[in-house]
Amino acid sequence: MHDHQAMLFYQQQMKCVCQRPGLHAPALVADYIEAGLNAARYYEKQQCMLLQELYLRRTFHEILNKMCDSLIHCAIRKQCLEQLYKPLMALKRFYKTHNSTRKYLILEREARILSHEFNPF
């Protein structure tokens, strides 16, 4: 399955109600993040930094939005909070490589504020 299609699949899975969210949530969130990071790695190899940044930011913001959405099951929200560091560290590496630490600091601040505001636990 292509990484973009995988991202859409996992994104839809995070919206629905799982039968056993406590068991499925960690793998579901991890798979979504992995699909997004794989798409970014692909575009990094193709030397297309705009698409690489797009997939990194898209993954980060989707995880952040799921964490803040009160209609999403608490197990998925908790996993989004716990695994938010993965796309954030990938963005840190990207911005450090491209000398844009200011953009990274803005994203880090946004994540810090929203994680305190919408912490599911």
Side-chain angles (χ1 to χ4, degrees):
M1 185 181 323
H2 189 272
D3 290 324
H4 179 70
Q5 292 172 335
M7 286 180 69
L8 292 175
F9 172 74
Y10 293 125
Q11 188 176 10
Q12 290 297 323
Q13 291 293 327
M14 285 194 286
K15 287 181 184 176
C16 72
V17 177
C18 301
Q19 293 293 339
R20 300 180 333 193
L23 296 175
H24 296 145
L28 184 63
V29 174
D31 289 343
Y32 177 77
I33 292 171
E34 188 62 30
L37 296 181
N38 284 339
R41 277 187 217 111
Y42 171 78
Y43 288 113
E44 180 181 19
K45 290 176 185 173
Q46 301 297 320
Q47 297 180 350
C48 186
M49 67 181 240
L50 288 177
L51 287 174
Q52 179 187 2
E53 182 183 14
L54 171 83
Y55 277 98
L56 289 173
R57 289 180 68 100
R58 180 179 176 189
T59 304
F60 172 75
H61 284 293
E62 186 64 31
I63 295 298
L64 200 61
N65 289 338
K66 293 293 184 218
M67 180 188 72
C68 297
D69 189 357
S70 62
L71 298 177
I72 302 295
H73 194 278
C74 281
I76 293 175
R77 291 178 64 204
K78 182 179 179 188
Q79 285 304 312
C80 288
L81 176 65
E82 290 179 0
Q83 297 185 38
L84 184 63
Y85 73 93
K86 293 176 183 178
L88 189 61
M89 291 296 107
L91 280 163
K92 181 177 184 178
R93 179 180 153 263
F94 175 81
Y95 286 131
K96 193 172 196 177
T97 303
H98 298 291
N99 297 324
S100 299
T101 55
R102 183 178 170 273
K103 288 182 180 179
Y104 168 73
L105 292 175
I106 291 170
L107 289 174
E108 184 184 40
R109 184 173 186 271
E110 178 185 5
R112 190 178 316 118
I113 290 169
L114 290 175
S115 66
H116 288 295
E117 187 70 29
F118 293 99
N119 189 348
F121 296 97

